[in-house]
Amino acid sequence: MNGSLGTVRAVVMTALVALLASTAAAIPADAAATAPPLPPASTVALPNEAAPVPPPAAPLSGPVPPHASGPVPSAAPDWTPPLSTRGRYIVDADGNRFKLKSGNWHGASGTWTGTGDREDPANHHAGEKADRIPLGLDRAPMSEIVAGFRELGLNSVRLPFSNEMVHDRRPVADASVAANPALRGRTPLQVYDAVVAALTGAGLAVILNNHTNTTRWCCGVDGNERWNASRADAEWEADWLFMTRRYRHEPRVVGADLYNEVRRSVWDDPNWGLGDRHDWFAASQRVGDRILQEANPALLIVVEGINWTGVPVDGLPHGRPTLEPVQRLSHTLVRSGKLVYSAHFYDYTGPHHTGATGVGETSDNRYRDFGRDELFDVLDRQAFYVSGQAGRHFTAPVWISEFGIGGRDEHGEKPRAWFENFVDHLIARDADFAYWPMVGWHEDREGNGWALLHWDSAGRRIGVFDGDDWRAGAWSRLVAAEGRTGPVPSTDRWSMLGPDHGDFVQSLRMRAAGDWDVGARKAACPDGQRLAGLAHTGGRGLCTDVAARDLWAPDGPYEVVRDERHVRPGGDWASGYTKLQCPTDHFLTGYSVRGAAVSAALCVAARTPLGSGGRTVWFDRGDNRPPEARGGDFAYGRFKGQCADDEYAAGIAYTGRVGSSRTPDALLCRKLG
């Protein structure tokens, strides 16, 4: 027994070393340390409190005056906010493709490595002390930094922050904003406000990114592994509502990137759909819906895949799930056309490699170890399939919101080849991207060479296009690459319903109607969609708007059907089975279950007359779906029934006979008109 315990401890310590030696947010990560204390929960304005605490800091009274070096470039006239999605593409308000060509401006999420004096630059990542604000404001005017982003061909910026920063009322040190004296005396959040104003004023889109809980360098075993590693779920959600409301009136703040690199802590893995407090799928679904319903309905909701699970020791399960779980369980938000998935890739990590070197390193391939074709296959399997397969419940834009590599000091053949190949893959897939990082420091052209723009202590800038940076050619190819442009036509939507552990009501109209089946787990399609398919077990459903968008009558009623009152004499479409059938000219848009058993069918009135008659689609003993059925496998490993694209579901049948769990057995499918 003691020997086994010792082995477990050794394995865990090896895993800890491996995780601390790696990161997917630039250069290998920081050393282990206890996370600094956060403000007490009483400082957080939790939802539904009778007397919420005032915001941590007042917003700036106006934009920060431009520095003497020149104004921020004028706003670009070539896109109109807000942004939304159509299939695999992000589009602007005019329906034109808006490809995210982004960079990360880090610093506000923290650069302290977790050990030693926070005020000593030596204890900050790469010696770059950001003082809880975007890096470089001590060395260059904000206008110059933002102009540099435009020069590099960017149209958007991912702007990390920490939850601790949101509540930090301490003014930043004067030295930290030496090149921007108008920011003296401001709190970190007020400086963040000014940065948002400068970026949006230059026509750039801004995606808010909750990078860390605590203001320290990411991403090891550091108290920031999960969204709730150092904060309660309620506090995390309250912070997101606060931040998205704060910038609601700035239309060029276009997205909320919910959390960065969700990963294993010492003892626990995150998961995708288990329903516990480590369930990243459920947490991101919940806060994404709350942002769209309570704070800012215009925002894109960015959900990153899981960055790491398992113990990184040869022979034990471990790996980087990334977006692979999305194929079996995808998000359906209360507002369609707002979901973007995200993934990160660096050469020194791998699909089963943390990035560790030395102690804790496994024998798994790093991404740089794959040949070009094999690398492309791995990348497609882990992430790019989400945008590469049309007409699925999971189809969405994929934003590679972090990738990067060292510049002038990177001479390795494999890392360089990986970067060239990765850029080629981004171009081939016409992918949205964000380079990490955009801003860094240098002295005499030496320093953290990962950034594309560097400033020294005297304010002298060097950049990727200054003639001695091998990345210049690949970067030029990437930002100038031809891809889809112009209008993107509206596309059919397919959405999964998953009341696995609780309600999954994605209709705003039904949310406003209240609890329509008390005690049951309820599922309802997003407004504008109808139920197209059901699983025999497991409770999953499939919604669509194919062939009939916005079918629900604007002021139409709904009915919760629990019996056979609408089955007409001679119209028994499932003899011997209980049939929950919608009334005439009504269609199924939801259902409820108690345990595994059908509880009720949710029927809503159509805005146009619907077909009658119909056919019975049985799926109690196998799949019964149209040939080449669209929507994808919405209930992996379960029997499924699905109506044809030109049909609507008008009823659910089940049986209560001995041996049955009263699960769905058949659908009544009728022609739309």
Side-chain angles (χ1 to χ4, degrees):
M1 185 70 177
N2 290 339
S4 298
L5 181 59
T7 300
V8 171
R9 286 174 175 166
V11 167
V12 171
M13 288 307 296
T14 302
L16 179 62
V17 170
L19 287 170
L20 287 171
S22 64
T23 180
I27 298 174
D30 40 11
T34 302
L38 286 168
S42 61
T43 65
V44 181
L46 295 177
N48 302 321
E49 285 185 338
V53 176
L60 293 174
S61 58
V64 177
H67 192 270
S69 62
V72 172
S74 60
D78 55 352
W79 68 285
T80 306
L83 302 182
S84 57
T85 70
R86 291 184 180 176
R88 61 135 298 175
Y89 297 107
I90 297 171
V91 298
D92 71 0
D94 297 323
N96 293 315
R97 167 77 184 290
F98 186 86
K99 181 176 180 178
L100 291 176
K101 300 181 179 183
S102 318
N104 285 269
W105 189 1
H106 77 296
S109 55
T111 53
W112 179 58
T113 59
T115 58
D117 183 2
R118 285 178 183 256
E119 299 306 313
D120 185 349
N123 298 322
H124 290 251
H125 177 70
E128 297 174 339
K129 181 175 177 289
D131 198 18
R132 300 123 52 218
I133 59 177
L135 190 70
L137 298 178
D138 59 331
R139 299 185 170 212
M142 195 184 307
S143 58
E144 181 180 324
I145 296 174
V146 174
F149 297 163
R150 293 290 302 276
E151 291 171 18
L152 290 171
L154 302 184
N155 62 15
S156 46
V157 170
R158 181 178 184 245
L159 195 60
F161 68 87
S162 76
N163 299 94
E164 186 180 20
M165 182 218 80
V166 173
H167 300 272
D168 193 340
R169 293 170 171 81
R170 296 170 296 159
V172 300
D174 288 353
S176 298
V177 290
N180 294 270
L183 299 178
R184 289 178 181 170
R186 306 296 177 99
T187 66
L189 184 57
Q190 289 175 319
V191 174
Y192 193 91
D193 289 340
V195 168
V196 168
L199 292 168
T200 57
L204 295 165
V206 173
I207 297 93
L208 310 175
N209 163 234
N210 186 190
H211 208 72
T212 53
N213 293 168
T214 64
T215 310
R216 60 168 291 183
W217 183 251
C218 176
C219 293
V221 181
D222 53 12
N224 294 308
E225 300 89 350
R226 297 187 310 275
W227 64 99
N228 57 6
S230 298
R231 299 190 78 76
D233 288 88
E235 293 174 305
W236 177 66
E237 292 179 23
D239 285 349
W240 259 123
L241 294 179
F242 171 79
M243 290 294 281
T244 50
R245 286 169 180 152
R246 188 176 186 88
Y247 304 110
R248 178 169 181 160
H249 300 295
E250 176 42 74
R252 292 185 189 271
V253 174
V254 299
D257 185 351
L258 299 180
Y259 202 73
N260 183 73
E261 296 186 8
V262 174
R263 58 197 181 276
R264 181 183 175 90
S265 62
V266 174
W267 296 109
D268 297 304
D269 280 329
N271 67 78
W272 193 273
L274 295 184
D276 59 19
R277 68 180 304 270
H278 297 166
D279 184 347
W280 174 230
F281 170 82
S284 53
Q285 174 78 44
R286 184 174 59 251
V287 78
D289 281 345
R290 291 196 67 192
I291 289 169
L292 292 174
Q293 190 172 3
E294 302 175 37
N296 188 343
L299 293 179
L300 296 174
I301 301 297
V302 181
V303 180
E304 188 180 334
I306 293 177
N307 192 258
W308 186 265
T309 62
V311 179
V313 174
D314 285 340
L316 295 178
H318 58 268
R320 194 178 307 279
T322 319
L323 294 176
E324 292 184 66
V326 173
Q327 190 164 5
R328 298 184 181 180
L329 181 59
S330 63
H331 293 73
T332 299
L333 299 173
V334 292
R335 295 187 185 276
S336 298
K338 290 298 182 182
L339 174 66
V340 174
Y341 282 115
S342 170
H344 295 176
F345 293 102
Y346 291 92
D347 74 285
Y348 60 88
T349 63
H352 297 281
H353 201 302
T354 64
T357 300
V359 177
E361 182 176 4
T362 64
S363 59
D364 304 289
N365 278 341
R366 303 172 192 261
Y367 290 112
R368 67 189 179 210
D369 295 325
F370 293 111
R372 181 183 175 91
D373 292 342
E374 190 175 7
L375 174 65
F376 287 9
D377 289 343
V378 169
L379 296 174
D380 286 340
R381 170 174 56 82
Q382 288 201 287
F384 290 89
Y385 79 91
V386 173
S387 57
Q389 297 183 38
R392 303 292 194 269
H393 63 82
F394 55 75
T395 303
V398 172
W399 183 37
I400 305 304
S401 55
E402 284 188 27
F403 75 104
I405 197 166
R408 294 167 179 82
D409 295 330
E410 178 55 77
H411 303 291
E413 180 179 348
K414 280 189 173 183
R416 286 193 174 200
W418 169 85
F419 188 73
E420 297 284 352
N421 288 334
F422 189 77
V423 165
D424 286 348
H425 195 64
L426 291 175
I427 293 171
R429 297 294 179 262
D430 194 11
D432 302 79
F433 60 86
Y435 185 88
W436 180 284
M438 297 307 299
V439 177
W441 291 2
H442 82 98
E443 293 298 333
D444 297 324
R445 308 182 80 81
E446 299 290 335
N448 175 11
W450 279 59
L452 297 183
L453 299 172
H454 297 83
W455 281 266
D456 69 9
S457 55
R460 291 182 290 261
R461 192 191 89 171
I462 59 172
V464 69
F465 293 135
D466 285 353
D468 59 347
D469 193 320
W470 66 274
R471 299 170 299 177
W475 181 257
S476 295
R477 291 202 319 276
L478 180 60
V479 294
E482 293 184 2
R484 177 69 179 264
T485 60
V488 176
S490 296
T491 185
D492 299 327
R493 299 190 189 279
W494 298 89
S495 304
M496 174 187 285
L497 294 181
D500 302 20
H501 307 287
D503 287 352
F504 206 82
V505 176
Q506 299 313 104
S507 163
L508 290 170
R509 293 174 72 173
M510 290 311 303
R511 287 189 174 203
D515 192 339
W516 45 272
D517 193 357
V518 177
R521 301 195 317 277
K522 295 165 284 295
C525 297
D527 295 333
Q529 298 187 38
R530 66 186 186 277
L531 192 69
L534 274 178
H536 176 54
T537 57
R540 296 281 179 83
L542 180 69
C543 305
T544 189
D545 64 357
V546 62
R549 292 175 185 156
D550 297 320
L551 188 59
W552 192 347
D555 300 316
Y558 71 89
E559 182 176 345
V560 180
V561 178
R562 297 183 175 88
D563 54 35
E564 296 189 346
R565 71 185 66 184
H566 298 299
V567 180
R568 295 182 177 180
D572 190 348
W573 51 274
S575 179
Y577 286 71
T578 301
K579 295 165 283 293
L580 307 184
Q581 182 175 324
C582 295
T584 301
D585 291 333
H586 285 60
F587 62 94
L588 275 170
T589 189
Y591 54 94
S592 58
V593 294
R594 296 176 187 269
V598 175
S599 178
L602 178 64
C603 302
V604 300
R607 57 179 168 80
T608 58
L610 298 175
S612 57
R615 63 190 181 99
T616 304
V617 175
W618 293 97
F619 50 94
D620 54 334
R621 299 181 183 181
D623 274 7
N624 191 351
R625 305 166 69 204
E628 301 180 357
R630 300 169 69 192
D633 190 342
F634 61 93
Y636 181 80
R638 314 276 184 169
F639 297 154
K640 295 167 287 292
Q642 184 173 332
C643 298
D645 288 359
D646 62 349
E647 294 177 326
Y648 69 98
I652 304 169
Y654 66 89
T655 179
R657 68 170 60 106
V658 175
S660 171
S661 299
R662 294 167 53 97
T663 58
D665 293 308
L667 284 172
L668 174 61
C669 296
R670 290 174 163 171
K671 292 292 184 180
L672 284 165

